[in-house]
Amino acid sequence: QVQLAESGGGLVQPGGSLRLSCAASGRSFSTYSIGWFRQAIGKEREFVSAVRRGDTNIYYGDSVKGRFTFSRDNAKNTVYLQMDSLKPEDTAVYYCATHPNRIITSAIRAVESYSYWGQGTQVTVSS
């Protein structure tokens, strides 16, 4: 069992930046598949970024590619999502999620591929 806790959300102006953190407890998730998702009010949960177990590639959703950056610090059992050039449409609750096994590439963007989820952190982009 692994517990995830997101932090770093808040209110930011358009064009600004935020860095989200997702800390894991219970066990190390350095070898797990890990994803970031977001959900805006009235919308379905949307894929943002992910890494697969055993894979060095980082996957990004089309709407965030070039603006968001996924990174990890295995020593701290923490992953990060650096968000730059934020837009009002980035406003959402951001979740991290993980799965202990390798996720096939075609399923990396699917919510149902992940076993454990954090509670989420609110990001609001507004002037």
Side-chain angles (χ1 to χ4, degrees):
Q1 190 85 8
V2 60
Q3 293 80 42
L4 304 177
E6 303 93 339
S7 62
L11 174 64
V12 63
Q13 292 187 343
S17 297
L18 281 176
R19 189 178 79 156
L20 305 184
S21 300
C22 173
S25 60
R27 60 191 309 170
S28 170
F29 73 164
S30 61
T31 59
Y32 283 26
S33 299
I34 303 167
W36 284 99
F37 289 78
R38 67 186 183 185
Q39 188 165 18
I41 295 174
K43 295 189 177 181
E44 293 186 352
R45 197 162 293 191
E46 176 190 15
F47 171 77
V48 174
S49 182
V51 295
R52 299 192 305 151
R53 174 176 177 164
D55 185 355
T56 58
N57 292 319
I58 303 175
Y59 300 86
Y60 293 98
D62 290 341
S63 62
V64 306
K65 200 172 298 182
R67 300 187 298 120
F68 290 13
T69 305
F70 182 110
S71 64
R72 66 194 306 169
D73 185 337
N74 289 335
K76 295 183 178 179
N77 217 24
T78 300
V79 298
Y80 305 96
L81 185 68
Q82 177 67 40
M83 306 187 296
D84 299 317
S85 302
L86 284 161
K87 305 175 182 180
E89 50 263 44
D90 294 318
T91 295
V93 177
Y94 283 71
Y95 300 89
C96 66
T98 191
H99 184 68
N101 298 319
R102 187 182 182 101
I103 299 173
I104 61 174
T105 305
S106 60
I108 196 70
R109 293 169 173 78
V111 168
E112 54 269 23
S113 295
Y114 298 84
S115 304
Y116 304 104
W117 291 80
Q119 292 300 306
T121 185
Q122 175 70 46
V123 172
T124 303
V125 184
S126 175
S127 55

